[in-house]
Structure formats: structure tokens, C-alpha cells
Amino acid sequence: MSKPFDFEIGKLTGPETHSAQKTALYPLTADAFGRGPERGTFFLETFGCQMNDHDSEKVAGVLLARGYRQVETPEAAGLILYNTCSIREKAAQKVFSRLGEYRAKQCEGRIIGVLGCVAQQEGEDIFERAPWVSLVCGSASYRKLPEMLAELEAGNHRVTGLATDTDETFETEMTRRDNPFRAYLTIIEGCDKACTYCVVPYTRGPERSRASDSILREVRQLAEFGYSEIQLLGQTVNSYKDPTPRKMRFAELLLAVADVPGIRRVRFTTSHPSDFTQDIVRAMEVQPKICEHVHLPVQSGSTKVLRAMQRTYTREEYLEKIAMIRSASRPIAITTDIIVGFPGESGPDFRETLSLLDEVKYDSLFSFKYSPRPNTPSLKMADAIPEEEKSHRLALLQDQQREIQKAHHARVIGGTYEVLVSGKSRRENQWSGYTSSYRLANFSSPAKELLGSYVQVRVTGATPNSLVGEHVV
Ligand code: SAM
Ligand code: SF4
């Protein structure tokens, strides 16, 4: 899905926010990195999914609480951090080419660190491949960041955090939030599923759910800071298992978050089909604040391929979940992820994926060519699909989905929808935001200021990826 117009507003949230914005909570204990004006500053670049984006928000919070200042370019920073993604090969390659670009910076007294999935996957090998790197830290070890930073400040040039057996979740005193209206909140980390193509169980470790009372405390705090939309995150967000005696179910948690005064929208992603239960649909029916959108990755329309992927459901079982969502008393948009060219995916298997698209008529989808990843069982599977064939299948899939989206959008033209305004175009009177069903709407309005407000937009036109409309005043 495409992004709305860019805007740059940062917000800190946490118990000490206001004092933190004025002064450092914990003055730097040792000589911070960099020799010139870049001393005590950090630059953080993020690759990958929303969970990575949110991890970076928390990492930035930890650094700010320690007295660091965030800067916009690596040139201006004493500490340069890359929060990485290794879900597909291309993403991992990008990180090494980025590290190559900043090789010279170490000579100027800068510290370079690699965080996230590539850090976890490559481990200490990164020090061999890029000896100018001083910190390698996987996402399951972020809780130890303050200690690791202290080690770096003390002059240690090989600091690692690579344990994945932690049963803790990454909760911070302070989070630097990039979006001033929608707050991400991770409720479950890691993954206990074992999809044969996926690195997540290796890079993010086993599933750990956060305590429901702690989640709700943070939601109340976010509402006080003016956030009105909460997005609950997890690789399998609906597999949430409350570790407290309260044992709140995921559907109950959705309702409890929606009940917090000031919260107007609740989203959640990503849902695993096997754990998508009727009570979630019921919660969406009774509570309109829960957005009318479910992201339910299918990966393939062929039961044979789903078995090889170890996805734990058949095509028919997946379609039963779709029927359950479609039977809700409110319309619910459904989006998905699809992998083409998994080892052994025959022409008929691929056509089953195309026929699934026709049957479900997804509102939108993310599609990927299968990418063999280190440590995953599918790496050793026979019958690899040639790259050209993968590209051909991807193009066919995307063409078909484009037509489906055009038809969806044609049906919404003329309707009026509520949009949370999150972007302002450079063009005069042009704004953007998302509907409850997560459709991007670009619209015109003569209003002077709309950012953060909820407005009614009449849809007058559409492209395959977004709606065009006008503000109904
Ligand atoms: N946990 C989510 C789920 O179960 O669907 C998704 C996690 S993953 C970060 C996002 C998407 O990346 C997956 O849904 C899948 O479509 C894609 N993906 C994961 N591993 C892949 C691989 N080896 N090659 C291509 N795409 C992959
Ligand atoms: Fe990866 Fe499967 Fe877990 Fe999703 S459910 S994170 S695809 S192993």
C-alpha cells in the first residue's frame, strides 16, 4: 500500500515525557561517540516491517533517555545505527551495501551498529565482514541496550546482544513516536509458528505476549498524549496469550483498548488465519471503533503448497475464515500476503492462487517472489522455480489484483467515508489519510488545518491504489 504525503513530526511518549523533552534524563556517563559537533548524537535508519519501525521508535526512546540527540543524516551523527530486515535476500543485501557506504566514518571516531534481523542472523560474522561495525544486537536483546550503550561509551569496540531465549518483551520508559496520530504498540513478540520459508522464528525468537494491564496502561497514556488511533502489532497478533492471571483473550483486549477514553480507532496486524476466531469478528461487530480491516496472509491458494510451507491450514479452511469475516454485520476489508514461486509450485498450483484471488476479491495485497533464506527448511527443498518464472507469475498476479482493486474502488465512488487526516500535500488544499478500511484517500479541502482530525470525505474518483475525494464540510 502506498504511503500518504510525507510529514515530519516526532513525539515522545513515556512517564517522563515532558521533562525528557527539556533535559536529558540520564546524562551521558562517558565520552560519547564522535569528535566534533556530532558528539552525543545518533542517526537511525530502519528497514522492513511495521514491527521494525516500532522497535526503532523504542530504540530512539532509549537513546534519548540516555541523553543522545537524534539527527537526520549519518554525516551529522556520532552513533550510526541500522535496524535491519532479512525477510528477503534483497533486504539483507541492502544493509551490507549501506554499511559499505559508511565504512570511512569509523575513522572519524563514529560508532556503527547493526540492529534487528540481520544482526540476529549473521551474528558476530558481521564483525568479520564489516570490521568497522562495533555493535551487533538482535531484536530479542533490545532490553539490554542501555548496558550495551554503556559498554560502547566505555570504549569497547565489539559489543553483542544475540540471545533469543529471553522471555521478556521490549518495554521502554520512553518511546519516540514518528506518527503523531497513530501509535504502534507491540503486544506479542517473536513467533512460535514454523513456516518453512521464514526467518522470523530464528531472528525474533519464541513468542512472548505482553501483560494486558501493561498494554492498557500504555494505551491510556497514549490517549492522554492525544493519540486517537492505536495499532496493535505482532507477527501473529491474534495468537496473543495474556501472561497475567486475568488471561484476557485477544478479542477482549481489542474491546478493552477501544473502551479507553480518547481512543477512536483500533487496528491490529498481522493476523494468522489458524488463530482467527469468531469472537474477533464479534468484537468487530459490536465495537465500531475496531477498524473494518483484517490483514490475513494466505501465502498460496494451493493446499499442496500450503502444506509444504507448513502454514497449518488448507485452502478450504482459509476460505471458511474468509466466509466468517464476510458474514459480519459490518463490511470488513480483507488484505493479504502472497508468495509466488515457492519450491515445487507447479503451474496448476499457481493458478489456484489466481483463482483464490478471484474468489476472495482482496481489497489489497502484498506479493513477493519466494526468496530462499538461511536456516529455513525450504532452503533444501527440491524443484526451485527459476527467477524468470517467478517474475512472470508475480506480474500475472499483480495484473489480476489491479483489476480487482479497480472494481472495488469503482463501487466506493459516490460514497462518503470517515478519514483520519495524516498528511498534507505541498499542493494547496490537498490532504490525505486513511479510511477505517485502510484505504488511502487523497482529497481536497479549503480548511486551514486538518492534520489529526477525523473528516468526512466524499469519494469522487480512484486509482488502483488510492481514492480521490473532497471534504464534506
Ligand atoms: N507473520 C506474518 C504471517 O504469518 O503472515 C508475516 C510475517 S513476514 C514479516 C511478511 C511477509 O513476508 C509474509 O507474509 C510473507 O508473505 C513474506 N515472506 C516471508 N518470508 C519470505 C521469503 N522467504 N520469501 C518471500 N517472501 C517471504
Ligand atoms: Fe514467519 Fe510464519 Fe511466523 Fe509469520 S507465522 S512470522 S510467516 S513463521
Side-chain angles (χ1 to χ4, degrees):
M1 276 175 245
S2 45
K3 286 191 174 175
F5 307 120
D6 285 343
F7 56 90
E8 284 182 21
I9 311 171
K11 249 191 182 178
L12 281 171
T13 57
E16 307 290 347
T17 297
H18 300 301
S19 59
Q21 278 170 332
K22 286 187 206 121
T23 56
L25 286 180
Y26 314 104
L28 290 173
T29 50
D31 224 17
F33 326 112
R35 293 179 190 142
E38 71 282 355
R39 190 189 170 279
T41 59
F42 72 98
F43 168 79
L44 174 57
E45 184 173 355
T46 310
F47 301 86
C49 60
Q50 285 158 324
M51 298 229 16
N52 262 13
D53 285 339
H54 185 41
D55 281 348
S56 283
E57 290 181 334
K58 292 195 268 184
V59 167
V62 170
L63 283 154
L64 291 164
R66 217 177 153 72
Y68 286 85
R69 192 165 51 82
Q70 188 160 13
V71 291
E72 296 292 319
T73 62
E75 286 71 26
L79 172 64
I80 301 170
L81 294 174
Y82 293 107
N83 185 3
T84 61
C85 170
S86 65
I87 205 89
R88 283 168 293 278
E89 198 182 351
K90 253 195 197 151
Q93 274 169 359
K94 219 187 210 171
V95 174
F96 282 100
S97 81
R98 209 47 122 245
L99 285 178
E101 287 167 33
Y102 297 112
R103 177 182 196 156
K105 293 273 171 265
Q106 194 203 27
C107 313
E108 298 160 19
R110 265 105 161 168
I111 291 289
I112 299 173
V114 181
L115 310 177
C117 294
V118 173
Q120 194 65 51
Q121 192 171 287
E122 304 285 326
E124 299 198 358
D125 288 354
I126 293 180
F127 294 135
E128 306 304 315
R129 215 166 144 181
W132 54 95
V133 168
S134 301
L135 170 71
V136 174
C137 175
S139 65
S141 299
Y142 287 158
R143 276 191 72 90
K144 304 217 171 66
L145 262 180
E147 288 100 302
M148 288 185 245
L149 286 167
E151 279 190 57
L152 288 170
E153 287 160 11
N156 191 339
H157 278 286
R158 287 279 157 100
V159 177
T160 53
L162 294 169
T164 52
D165 55 354
T166 171
D167 55 2
E168 290 172 303
T169 50
F170 180 34
E171 290 176 44
T172 53
E173 285 289 304
M174 208 158 79
T175 300
R176 182 212 175 276
R177 296 188 181 270
D178 294 326
N179 186 316
F181 319 115
R182 181 201 300 160
Y184 291 140
L185 211 149
T186 301
I187 64 163
I188 174 169
E189 288 177 13
C191 181
D192 277 354
K193 305 273 191 275
C195 304
T196 53
Y197 51 81
C198 184
V199 291
V200 169
Y202 310 95
T203 57
R204 288 189 167 266
E207 190 182 288
R208 289 95 71 203
S209 291
R210 200 175 150 186
S212 55
D213 47 359
S214 155
I215 295 170
L216 291 169
R217 206 177 312 120
E218 189 169 346
V219 174
R220 284 192 288 273
Q221 198 186 75
L222 287 164
E224 278 169 25
F225 284 127
Y227 289 92
S228 61
E229 184 175 307
I230 300 290
Q231 179 152 1
L232 303 180
L233 295 179
Q235 291 296 344
T236 54
V237 72
N238 57 327
S239 313
Y240 176 76
K241 289 179 201 72
D242 184 6
T244 71
R246 171 73 181 76
K247 299 246 170 293
M248 199 178 255
R249 289 177 60 81
F250 176 65
E252 289 179 90
L253 181 67
L254 285 176
L255 292 168
V257 171
D259 272 346
V260 171
I263 297 304
R264 192 150 160 181
R265 280 183 174 184
V266 184
R267 297 188 184 279
F268 55 98
T269 200
T270 294
S271 294
H272 193 285
S274 298
D275 295 333
F276 206 89
T277 46
Q278 181 78 57
D279 58 344
I280 303 173
V281 179
R282 262 193 222 115
M284 297 176 84
E285 286 181 317
V286 299
Q287 178 49 278
K289 288 185 191 176
I290 304 175
C291 288
E292 50 195 46
H293 171 218
V294 173
H295 186 61
L296 201 68
V298 65
Q299 313 299 356
S300 169
S302 149
T303 295
K304 185 195 100 188
V305 174
L306 290 171
R307 288 230 166 87
M309 290 176 164
Q310 241 166 259
R311 278 296 286 184
T312 70
Y313 51 83
T314 61
R315 173 189 174 105
E316 289 66 35
E317 284 162 347
Y318 180 87
L319 284 171
E320 280 167 22
K321 302 285 178 176
I322 297 291
M324 182 174 83
I325 298 169
R326 293 266 186 251
S327 70
S329 54
R330 317 160 55 189
I332 296 177
I334 304 177
T335 56
T336 200
D337 292 349
I338 288 183
I339 298 176
V340 299
F342 189 76
E345 183 191 68
S346 63
D349 290 327
F350 174 63
R351 282 194 288 284
E352 283 197 68
T353 299
L354 294 181
S355 78
L356 187 89
L357 254 57
D358 264 342
E359 207 166 331
V360 179
K361 303 234 183 295
Y362 291 107
D363 292 82
S364 170
L365 58 77
F366 294 100
S367 49
F368 311 100
K369 288 192 273 182
Y370 167 71
S371 168
R373 305 307 299 127
N375 303 321
T376 57
S378 63
L379 193 62
K380 297 197 182 85
M381 286 182 184
D383 300 327
I385 308 298
E387 243 355 86
E388 271 163 58
E389 180 58 25
K390 284 188 208 169
S391 302
H392 176 61
R393 290 180 190 181
L394 190 70
L396 286 177
L397 184 99
Q398 291 177 343
D399 285 349
Q400 182 165 324
Q401 178 61 22
R402 198 169 302 115
E403 293 309 310
I404 293 171
Q405 279 176 220
K406 272 192 209 159
H408 273 305
H409 285 174
R411 274 193 294 277
V412 297
I413 292 175
T416 298
Y417 300 88
E418 185 190 75
V419 168
L420 166 56
V421 186
S422 54
K424 183 179 191 333
S425 166
R426 280 182 211 102
R427 280 187 297 148
E428 212 182 334
N429 300 337
Q430 289 293 316
W431 305 81
S432 68
Y434 284 92
T435 64
S436 167
S437 58
Y438 208 60
R439 285 198 171 92
L440 174 64
N442 295 311
F443 65 97
S444 57
S445 169
K448 287 273 170 289
E449 186 50 69
L450 286 179
L451 285 176
S453 59
Y454 289 83
V455 300
Q456 295 294 319
V457 171
R458 184 168 43 245
V459 178
T460 53
T463 68
N465 292 319
S466 61
L467 305 176
V468 178
E470 57 196 17
H471 184 185
V472 181
V473 182

